[in-house]
Every structure is written in structure tokens, then in C-alpha cells.
Amino acid sequence: NFDSWWGQANMDKLFSFGEFNSLTGDNANFSIWELSLFIMIGCLGGLIGAVFNAANEHLTIWRMKNVNYSKGRRFVEVLCISVLVTTVSFVMPLLWNRCTELPSDMADWSNQEKKLVEALVPFQCEAGKEYNEVASLIFTDADTAIKQLFHFREAGQDDSSTFSSAALFLFFLPYIAMATITYGIAVPSGLFVPSLLSGAAFGRLFGHLLHKLDHTSGTFADSGTYALMGAAAVLGGMARMTISLTVILLEATGDMQYVLPLMFTLMAARFTGNVFNEGLYDIHIKLKSIPFLEPEVPTIAEKHEIVAGQVMSTDVKCLRPVERAGVVYDLLRNCSHGTFPIVDTASSGTLYGTAARSMLCTLLQRRAFGPADALSDYDEGGGCDSLGPRRLSPLVQWDTIERVYPRYPTIDDVDMRAGDRNCWLDLRPYANTAPYTVNETASIQRTYRLFRTLGLRFLCVVNHHNQVVGIITRKDLLPESLSDSLMRGRNAHMDTTYGFD
């Protein structure tokens, strides 16, 4: 039959938090007064996340200076860290060297809990009777370990506990330290699951200690609830997200009783972590010099009346509608800009359109040139009107240019011959003749919103005569760039020079 040929979908390996149920009938698994304890867990998770982010930031800066510039060094770093993680992961269960008896009274346990008991690892212990607590967290899949921390019962009504405080502590510290070292190496790794697992161990340790202090009187919620709050706290302390993480974790648990605890925990983790540093993703965005624009206009732009002419770059590299092939080649060779304004020099730089770097490289590679003697007086100041409607170079179809997307040719792929340098390259059929522009007197708030809403990478700045006077990129709108522009005291009426920075 077809099932024997193709097989069937298996849901066992999909990441899941497992099924959450109320342990006390229709009531919640926690008391209202325990929300203060969840907030405390959130604050501690924010501290853990701040330390994690600071350590990883300093480590990433060191990598950028000493490792990332060499592919060989990045490969060696991956090998060394792989050996280190493997060694630590194997040594930790050996150091534990203690065997715990498997739970025996499981009459009222659910099938999910019984399956999790079967997943406990008998490393250096008698199989079927004992298990190694640390090995059960390390040698199993991450989702299985998270389920064990979430769902194994420990309500504090007796002395039974699946994972002791020492085992949780021995697992938590090395695991989160290894996650700190690993994030940023040349492998596709993430932080969502490591943060959840380390946070779940921290939260269960917190709950376990509460039950010990309570002398197993059953005053506090079960340790699985504290494990869930700990997972949210460490993840929120690292990522500094609130609403999105609340929705994600709530969907993963499938239990609406945890809405309020998760919200309080994540908000406490975010506020506490923001006291010390930014979220890890924001830190790496800045380390990689990615010009990411926040949703809100920077505060400095709100406090001061800044216009586009104050922050624009006036060193713009421009092309004419019809340009010498050698001029285009030298421009692409000497700068790495992605787009160039096309201006009519006969009318003092009136904006004609823009040309993309990928398109220019394609035209040069295909040698779409016209003869050098096709124009006689154009170099002496002839404008667009003197060109007429005739094409001055062979036309390359647009689907031919876009066929190689995203692997467009680069300037290194172009072989510019000496005899081709004076040939003419007609850019009029390929130019974007309706680019987004902004007047030099426009407010920076309007300019910022144009970039945010339209997803722009650059914006041509023109005067009242539609002449190019500058250009604005995303980097010019970052808070530090706006501050520098304000301190330099630029104004919208500075002398115009063509260029693009």
C-alpha cells in the first residue's frame, strides 16, 4: 500500500512543552499571592539575562577582532568549542556519580509522565531501577529535558523529588555558560531552546528550594510551575520581548491559567535587564553595524528642529543619463555604493533618476556599449534634450538582467578593455525615473517615517528646483549620527557638491 512506500508523518520529534493540566482539579496550579514570587523570578531572570548578554557581547567583540576575519580560524574555533562542549557534557554526569531510584508509586500519574520516566538515563546506574539526574538532563533531547522539568510532580507534600537542588545547580551553570560561548560561532545555532532549558532548570531549582524551606508542607505551587516561570524569565531577560514571548509560551503550554504569571514574569525580566544593558539581538545588530531603525523617531529628533539638509551627505557620486563606460567602471571600482543618482549636468544637477549597482555591473559585463563617436558635443555640456529619443547603446532586456538574481555580477567579473573605456553607455532605458525624494527643508520626522514605512535604503535630497543636493541613508538617521550632525551645526543651505556616501 501507499503507507509502506511513503511512510507516515511522525510528531514525536516536533518541539513541544507537553500537555499542561491542573493538579488541583478546576483550580489553578498557583495561588494569587505567588505572583510576587513569579515577579521575583522575573527579576532574577533579568539579571541572568543581563550577565549572559554582557558576557556574549565582550566575547563577540573579541571574536570580531581575532577570529572572524579568517575562515580557517573560525573553523578551528568551531572544532575547539565542539570538543569543549562534548567534554563538559560528558564529565558533568561523571562528576555527579550518584544514582537515584526511579519513581515507584505512579498509579495516578498520566501517560505523559510515565513516558518521561522511561526517558530518564541510567548512566553509571542500574538500568530499570535507577537513573542519573544530571545525565537525564544532558543526554536526552532538549525538548524531553524541558518536559521533565515542567511535568515531573513536586508539590512539596512529601520528600520525593525527581531532580535534586545540587543536580539542577550542576546542570544550570555549565549549560548556560556553554550557551554563552557557543552563540556567535560559525554554526547555525539559536538561543531559544537553550534559554528555555537553562531557565527551566533555574525555575525548578527555585521551586525546589521553596519546598525545602517550607519543610514540604505544600504551601507553594509545584516545581513545574516555577520551572515554566524560570524558562520565561531567562528567555525574557536575554531577548527583552514581552508580548510576543507571552503569546509564544502561552500557545506552547495551551493553558490559559498561565497568562497573568507569564506577563508579570516577562515584564519583570525585561525591566530588570534593561537597567544594565540591551537585549542580545539589539546588541548584535549594533556590533554588526546594521542600520536598524526603531519604530519611534529618535528622541534627539523630537527635541530639536532638524531638517533633512542637516543630516544629508553632500558627497554624492552621480552619473549622467549617457555616460562613458570607463567612467562607470572607475566609479564602481572605487566605491561600494549600491545605487547612484542620475543627474542632468546641463541643468545644474536636475535629478533624472537612479541606477542600481547590480544593473550597471550587468551592462558592463555584457558590453552593452555604443560607439565612442556616437556623440560629439555631449562632454562639453550637452544635456538630455540634445540626446533625442535614439538609443546610443544595445538594449539588454530586463528579464536578462534579473535572471541571475540574487547572484548578480560584481565589478570583479567585468573585463574592461582599453578600447571600450570611451564607448557610451545609455542608462536611460534602465533608470528608475521616479525615485523617492525629499526636500532639503523637510523635517527629520517625516524623513524617518518615509524610511520606516517604505523600507528605503537611501533617499535623494533635492532643492526646490529638483536639483540633487545630497543623499540620506539609514545610517544618517541613527541617533548617534543625528547627534553628530546637530553638533556640527549643518544647515540646509550649504554649498552643493555631488556625491553619495
Side-chain angles (χ1 to χ4, degrees):
N1 56 28
F2 286 103
D3 288 344
S4 62
W5 293 352
W6 300 96
Q8 293 181 334
N10 190 342
M11 307 293 289
D12 293 340
K13 293 303 179 182
L14 293 181
F15 185 81
S16 167
F17 283 179
E19 183 180 353
F20 283 78
N21 296 307
S22 177
L23 301 178
T24 57
D26 296 332
N27 297 325
N29 289 339
F30 59 92
S31 302
I32 295 298
W33 62 268
E34 287 183 282
L35 291 175
S36 59
L37 295 177
F38 298 153
I39 293 175
M40 185 185 301
I41 291 178
C43 294
L44 293 175
L47 289 173
I48 294 172
V51 173
F52 183 99
N53 293 356
N56 186 263
E57 179 182 8
H58 287 86
L59 185 59
T60 302
I61 293 174
W62 180 85
R63 281 196 181 112
M64 294 172 67
K65 294 179 179 179
N66 301 282
V67 178
N68 289 357
Y69 66 87
S70 170
K71 292 183 179 180
R73 290 195 174 192
R74 299 191 76 183
F75 179 73
V76 173
E77 182 193 30
V78 171
L79 290 181
C80 293
I81 291 181
S82 299
V83 173
L84 174 65
V85 171
T86 303
T87 303
V88 172
S89 299
F90 185 76
V91 170
M92 285 166 53
L94 285 177
L95 292 177
W96 181 245
N97 195 25
R98 185 190 305 173
C99 296
T100 305
E101 292 186 2
L102 289 170
S104 56
D105 186 12
M106 297 187 294
D108 58 339
W109 285 33
S110 64
N111 291 331
Q112 175 181 244
E113 292 171 306
K114 294 177 181 178
K115 288 183 179 179
L116 292 176
V117 170
E118 295 175 358
L120 295 173
V121 178
F123 182 72
Q124 299 288 315
C125 300
E126 186 178 352
K129 294 183 179 181
E130 298 173 329
Y131 67 97
N132 186 309
E133 297 179 29
V134 178
S136 298
L137 295 174
I138 294 179
F139 292 162
T140 56
D141 295 335
D143 60 331
T144 302
I146 290 176
K147 290 177 185 177
Q148 290 174 345
L149 294 171
F150 283 170
H151 297 291
F152 276 146
R153 301 187 184 185
E154 186 185 346
Q157 297 174 350
D158 50 46
D159 292 328
S160 63
S161 63
T162 313
F163 297 105
S164 62
S165 301
L168 293 171
F169 186 78
L170 180 61
F171 169 77
F172 169 71
L173 278 184
Y175 188 84
I176 197 169
M178 289 189 295
T180 305
I181 297 172
T182 303
Y183 186 73
I185 64 174
V187 295
S189 61
L191 279 177
F192 191 83
V193 174
S195 299
L196 285 175
L197 182 51
S198 58
F202 162 72
R204 192 171 183 95
L205 174 61
F206 190 93
H208 184 76
L209 293 177
L210 287 178
H211 292 311
K212 287 293 185 182
L213 293 174
D214 188 40
H215 301 291
T216 65
S217 299
T219 305
F220 301 97
D222 69 291
S223 295
T225 300
Y226 284 96
L228 177 60
M229 297 306 119
V234 174
L235 182 58
M238 179 273 296
R240 309 291 163 78
M241 294 184 289
T242 52
I243 298 177
S244 58
L245 285 184
T246 301
V247 174
I248 292 172
L249 296 177
L250 187 62
E251 288 292 333
T253 59
D255 199 333
M256 292 297 295
Q257 67 172 315
Y258 296 113
V259 174
L260 201 58
L262 287 174
M263 289 178 61
F264 283 164
T265 303
L266 288 167
M267 285 191 295
R270 177 187 176 123
F271 294 152
T272 303
N274 284 343
V275 173
F276 302 98
N277 50 30
E278 294 182 300
L280 186 64
Y281 302 130
D282 298 301
I283 290 174
H284 277 262
I285 285 175
K286 290 187 177 181
L287 289 178
K288 295 179 181 296
S289 300
I290 299 175
F292 179 78
L293 301 182
E294 298 290 344
E296 300 298 329
V297 179
T299 306
I300 187 174
E302 298 285 357
K303 291 182 178 179
H304 302 85
E305 295 183 359
I306 307 176
V307 296
Q310 292 177 264
V311 301
M312 69 182 182
S313 173
T314 56
D315 183 23
V316 189
K317 310 299 182 186
C318 295
L319 295 170
R320 296 178 295 177
V322 179
E323 191 60 88
R324 298 280 187 183
V327 173
V328 177
Y329 178 82
D330 293 338
L331 180 61
L332 296 176
R333 176 65 69 179
N334 295 327
C335 67
S336 58
H337 307 143
T339 307
F340 301 89
I342 300 177
V343 299
D344 186 2
T345 53
S347 57
S348 302
T350 301
L351 180 63
Y352 181 86
T354 57
R357 183 183 187 90
S358 58
M359 179 265 293
L360 295 174
C361 290
T362 302
L363 296 179
L364 292 178
Q365 185 191 45
R366 291 183 171 273
R367 305 181 69 249
F369 313 137
D373 56 356
L375 296 175
S376 56
D377 59 346
Y378 188 66
D379 282 331
E380 282 72 32
C384 294
D385 295 336
S386 64
L387 297 176
R390 61 193 178 104
R391 294 197 190 110
L392 301 175
S393 60
L395 183 65
V396 179
Q397 296 298 326
W398 191 252
D399 60 345
T400 303
I401 298 176
E402 292 296 322
R403 187 178 302 162
V404 294
Y405 172 85
R407 295 180 176 85
Y408 295 109
T410 64
I411 192 62
D412 296 328
D413 300 325
V414 178
D415 181 20
M416 178 58 63
R417 305 170 186 173
D420 294 336
R421 295 189 63 86
N422 288 327
C423 294
W424 291 103
L425 185 60
D426 193 347
L427 302 177
R428 292 176 296 172
Y430 316 102
N432 174 18
T433 56
Y436 291 105
T437 62
V438 66
N439 196 279
E440 61 181 338
T441 59
S443 67
I444 202 63
Q445 289 90 339
R446 180 185 179 189
T447 306
Y448 192 93
R449 293 189 180 98
L450 280 174
F451 271 87
R452 280 285 304 177
T453 55
L454 299 177
L456 303 178
R457 300 183 63 181
F458 73 97
L459 196 59
C460 293
V461 183
V462 297
N463 58 18
H464 296 293
H465 303 289
N466 201 36
Q467 297 169 332
V468 177
V469 295
I471 202 160
I472 295 177
T473 64
R474 284 176 168 260
K475 290 185 178 180
D476 297 321
L477 297 179
L478 297 178
E480 50 270 23
S481 299
L482 293 177
S483 179
D484 292 342
S485 299
L486 193 64
M487 292 181 64
R488 287 195 300 266
R490 287 187 177 182
N491 56 70
H493 307 288
M494 57 178 61
D495 295 336
T496 301
T497 58
Y498 298 119
F500 176 17
D501 186 30

